[in-house]
Short mmCIF file of all heavy atoms in Angstrom, two decimals:
data_model
loop_
_atom_site.label_atom_id
_atom_site.label_comp_id
_atom_site.label_asym_id
_atom_site.label_seq_id
_atom_site.Cartn_x
_atom_site.Cartn_y
_atom_site.Cartn_z
N ASP I 26 -11.26 13.90 48.02
CA ASP I 26 -12.41 14.79 47.80
C ASP I 26 -12.73 14.96 46.32
O ASP I 26 -13.76 15.53 45.98
CB ASP I 26 -12.15 16.16 48.43
CG ASP I 26 -12.12 16.11 49.95
OD1 ASP I 26 -12.71 15.18 50.52
OD2 ASP I 26 -11.50 17.00 50.55
N GLU I 27 -11.86 14.46 45.44
CA GLU I 27 -12.05 14.60 44.01
C GLU I 27 -12.42 13.28 43.32
O GLU I 27 -13.17 13.28 42.35
CB GLU I 27 -10.77 15.13 43.36
CG GLU I 27 -10.33 16.47 43.89
CD GLU I 27 -8.93 16.83 43.42
OE1 GLU I 27 -8.56 16.43 42.30
OE2 GLU I 27 -8.21 17.49 44.18
N CYS I 28 -11.84 12.18 43.81
CA CYS I 28 -12.03 10.91 43.13
C CYS I 28 -11.86 9.75 44.10
O CYS I 28 -11.59 9.95 45.27
CB CYS I 28 -11.07 10.76 41.95
SG CYS I 28 -9.34 10.77 42.42
N GLY I 29 -12.02 8.54 43.60
CA GLY I 29 -11.85 7.35 44.42
C GLY I 29 -13.15 6.70 44.81
O GLY I 29 -13.16 5.55 45.24
N SER I 30 -14.25 7.42 44.67
CA SER I 30 -15.57 6.87 44.99
C SER I 30 -16.62 7.58 44.15
O SER I 30 -16.38 8.66 43.63
CB SER I 30 -15.88 7.03 46.48
OG SER I 30 -15.89 8.40 46.84
N ILE I 31 -17.77 6.93 44.03
CA ILE I 31 -18.87 7.52 43.27
C ILE I 31 -19.76 8.26 44.26
O ILE I 31 -20.55 7.66 44.98
CB ILE I 31 -19.66 6.45 42.50
CG1 ILE I 31 -18.73 5.71 41.54
CG2 ILE I 31 -20.84 7.07 41.76
CD1 ILE I 31 -19.36 4.51 40.85
N ARG I 32 -19.59 9.58 44.31
CA ARG I 32 -20.34 10.44 45.23
C ARG I 32 -20.54 11.81 44.60
O ARG I 32 -19.77 12.20 43.71
CB ARG I 32 -19.57 10.60 46.54
CG ARG I 32 -19.41 9.32 47.29
CD ARG I 32 -18.74 9.54 48.62
NE ARG I 32 -18.60 8.24 49.24
CZ ARG I 32 -17.80 7.98 50.23
NH1 ARG I 32 -17.07 8.93 50.75
NH2 ARG I 32 -17.73 6.78 50.75
N PRO I 33 -21.51 12.56 45.08
CA PRO I 33 -21.68 13.92 44.56
C PRO I 33 -20.40 14.74 44.75
O PRO I 33 -19.74 14.65 45.78
CB PRO I 33 -22.82 14.49 45.41
CG PRO I 33 -23.57 13.28 45.88
CD PRO I 33 -22.54 12.21 46.07
N GLY I 34 -20.03 15.50 43.72
CA GLY I 34 -18.86 16.35 43.79
C GLY I 34 -17.56 15.68 43.38
O GLY I 34 -16.53 16.34 43.27
N ARG I 35 -17.57 14.37 43.16
CA ARG I 35 -16.37 13.66 42.74
C ARG I 35 -16.33 13.57 41.22
O ARG I 35 -17.35 13.69 40.55
CB ARG I 35 -16.33 12.22 43.29
CG ARG I 35 -16.52 12.06 44.77
CD ARG I 35 -15.33 12.59 45.55
NE ARG I 35 -15.28 12.13 46.93
CZ ARG I 35 -16.01 12.61 47.93
NH1 ARG I 35 -16.90 13.54 47.70
NH2 ARG I 35 -15.84 12.16 49.16
N ASP I 36 -15.14 13.33 40.67
CA ASP I 36 -15.03 13.07 39.24
C ASP I 36 -15.85 11.84 38.90
O ASP I 36 -15.83 10.87 39.65
CB ASP I 36 -13.57 12.81 38.85
CG ASP I 36 -12.69 14.05 38.97
OD1 ASP I 36 -13.24 15.16 39.05
OD2 ASP I 36 -11.46 13.88 38.99
N ALA I 37 -16.57 11.89 37.81
CA ALA I 37 -17.41 10.75 37.41
C ALA I 37 -16.63 9.84 36.47
O ALA I 37 -17.03 9.58 35.34
CB ALA I 37 -18.70 11.24 36.78
N ASP I 38 -15.47 9.37 36.94
CA ASP I 38 -14.65 8.44 36.18
C ASP I 38 -14.83 7.06 36.81
O ASP I 38 -14.45 6.85 37.96
CB ASP I 38 -13.16 8.82 36.25
CG ASP I 38 -12.88 10.20 35.68
OD1 ASP I 38 -13.63 10.65 34.80
OD2 ASP I 38 -11.90 10.82 36.12
N PHE I 39 -15.41 6.13 36.07
CA PHE I 39 -15.63 4.80 36.63
C PHE I 39 -15.76 3.76 35.52
O PHE I 39 -15.90 4.10 34.35
CB PHE I 39 -16.86 4.76 37.54
CG PHE I 39 -18.16 5.10 36.86
CD1 PHE I 39 -18.97 4.10 36.35
CD2 PHE I 39 -18.59 6.42 36.74
CE1 PHE I 39 -20.17 4.39 35.72
CE2 PHE I 39 -19.79 6.72 36.13
CZ PHE I 39 -20.58 5.70 35.62
N VAL I 40 -15.68 2.50 35.93
CA VAL I 40 -15.87 1.38 35.01
C VAL I 40 -16.97 0.50 35.55
O VAL I 40 -17.28 0.53 36.74
CB VAL I 40 -14.58 0.55 34.81
CG1 VAL I 40 -13.48 1.39 34.18
CG2 VAL I 40 -14.12 -0.08 36.09
N VAL I 41 -17.56 -0.28 34.67
CA VAL I 41 -18.55 -1.27 35.05
C VAL I 41 -17.92 -2.64 34.83
O VAL I 41 -17.38 -2.91 33.75
CB VAL I 41 -19.85 -1.12 34.22
CG1 VAL I 41 -20.86 -2.20 34.60
CG2 VAL I 41 -20.43 0.28 34.38
N LEU I 42 -17.97 -3.48 35.86
CA LEU I 42 -17.40 -4.82 35.79
C LEU I 42 -18.49 -5.87 35.96
O LEU I 42 -19.50 -5.61 36.61
CB LEU I 42 -16.36 -5.01 36.91
CG LEU I 42 -15.21 -4.02 36.97
CD1 LEU I 42 -14.35 -4.26 38.21
CD2 LEU I 42 -14.35 -4.10 35.71
N THR I 43 -18.27 -7.03 35.39
CA THR I 43 -19.20 -8.15 35.58
C THR I 43 -18.89 -8.80 36.94
O THR I 43 -17.93 -8.44 37.61
CB THR I 43 -19.01 -9.22 34.49
OG1 THR I 43 -17.69 -9.75 34.59
CG2 THR I 43 -19.26 -8.65 33.11
N GLY I 44 -19.68 -9.79 37.30
CA GLY I 44 -19.47 -10.52 38.54
C GLY I 44 -18.12 -11.22 38.61
O GLY I 44 -17.57 -11.42 39.69
N ASP I 45 -17.55 -11.56 37.43
CA ASP I 45 -16.22 -12.19 37.44
C ASP I 45 -15.11 -11.16 37.22
O ASP I 45 -13.97 -11.51 36.93
CB ASP I 45 -16.13 -13.32 36.41
CG ASP I 45 -16.10 -12.83 34.97
OD1 ASP I 45 -16.29 -11.62 34.72
OD2 ASP I 45 -15.86 -13.66 34.08
N LEU I 46 -15.43 -9.88 37.38
CA LEU I 46 -14.50 -8.75 37.30
C LEU I 46 -13.99 -8.48 35.89
O LEU I 46 -12.92 -7.90 35.71
CB LEU I 46 -13.35 -8.91 38.29
CG LEU I 46 -13.76 -8.97 39.76
CD1 LEU I 46 -12.56 -9.26 40.65
CD2 LEU I 46 -14.45 -7.68 40.19
N SER I 47 -14.75 -8.87 34.89
CA SER I 47 -14.40 -8.52 33.51
C SER I 47 -14.98 -7.15 33.18
O SER I 47 -16.07 -6.79 33.65
CB SER I 47 -14.95 -9.56 32.53
OG SER I 47 -14.36 -10.81 32.76
N LEU I 48 -14.26 -6.40 32.36
CA LEU I 48 -14.68 -5.04 32.01
C LEU I 48 -15.89 -5.06 31.07
O LEU I 48 -15.89 -5.78 30.06
CB LEU I 48 -13.53 -4.30 31.34
CG LEU I 48 -13.79 -2.86 30.93
CD1 LEU I 48 -14.05 -1.98 32.15
CD2 LEU I 48 -12.60 -2.33 30.14
N VAL I 49 -16.91 -4.26 31.38
CA VAL I 49 -18.10 -4.13 30.55
C VAL I 49 -18.14 -2.77 29.86
O VAL I 49 -18.40 -2.66 28.67
CB VAL I 49 -19.39 -4.31 31.39
CG1 VAL I 49 -20.63 -4.02 30.56
CG2 VAL I 49 -19.45 -5.68 32.00
N GLU I 50 -17.88 -1.71 30.65
CA GLU I 50 -18.01 -0.36 30.10
C GLU I 50 -17.11 0.60 30.87
O GLU I 50 -16.85 0.41 32.05
CB GLU I 50 -19.47 0.08 30.19
CG GLU I 50 -19.86 1.19 29.26
CD GLU I 50 -21.38 1.32 29.09
OE1 GLU I 50 -22.13 0.56 29.73
OE2 GLU I 50 -21.79 2.19 28.31
N THR I 51 -16.65 1.66 30.17
CA THR I 51 -15.78 2.67 30.75
C THR I 51 -16.43 4.04 30.62
O THR I 51 -16.90 4.41 29.55
CB THR I 51 -14.41 2.67 30.03
OG1 THR I 51 -13.85 1.37 30.12
CG2 THR I 51 -13.46 3.66 30.67
N TYR I 52 -16.42 4.80 31.73
CA TYR I 52 -17.03 6.12 31.80
C TYR I 52 -16.05 7.17 32.33
O TYR I 52 -16.01 7.41 33.52
CB TYR I 52 -18.23 6.10 32.74
CG TYR I 52 -19.46 5.41 32.25
CD1 TYR I 52 -19.61 4.04 32.37
CD2 TYR I 52 -20.51 6.14 31.68
CE1 TYR I 52 -20.75 3.40 31.94
CE2 TYR I 52 -21.66 5.51 31.24
CZ TYR I 52 -21.76 4.14 31.38
OH TYR I 52 -22.91 3.51 30.94
N PRO I 53 -15.27 7.82 31.50
CA PRO I 53 -14.53 8.98 31.99
C PRO I 53 -15.45 10.20 31.93
O PRO I 53 -16.16 10.40 30.94
CB PRO I 53 -13.35 9.11 31.02
CG PRO I 53 -13.82 8.47 29.76
CD PRO I 53 -14.86 7.43 30.16
N GLY I 54 -15.43 11.00 32.99
CA GLY I 54 -16.27 12.19 33.01
C GLY I 54 -17.74 11.90 32.91
O GLY I 54 -18.53 12.75 32.49
#
C-alpha cells in the first residue's frame, strides 16, 4: 500500500529505464 507500483497514494520512488534496461533517470520522492 506504500510502494512497489506507480499509483496514487504510493511513494513516488522510481527509475526510468531504456528498452535495453539501462538506467536513464532516478526519482526518489
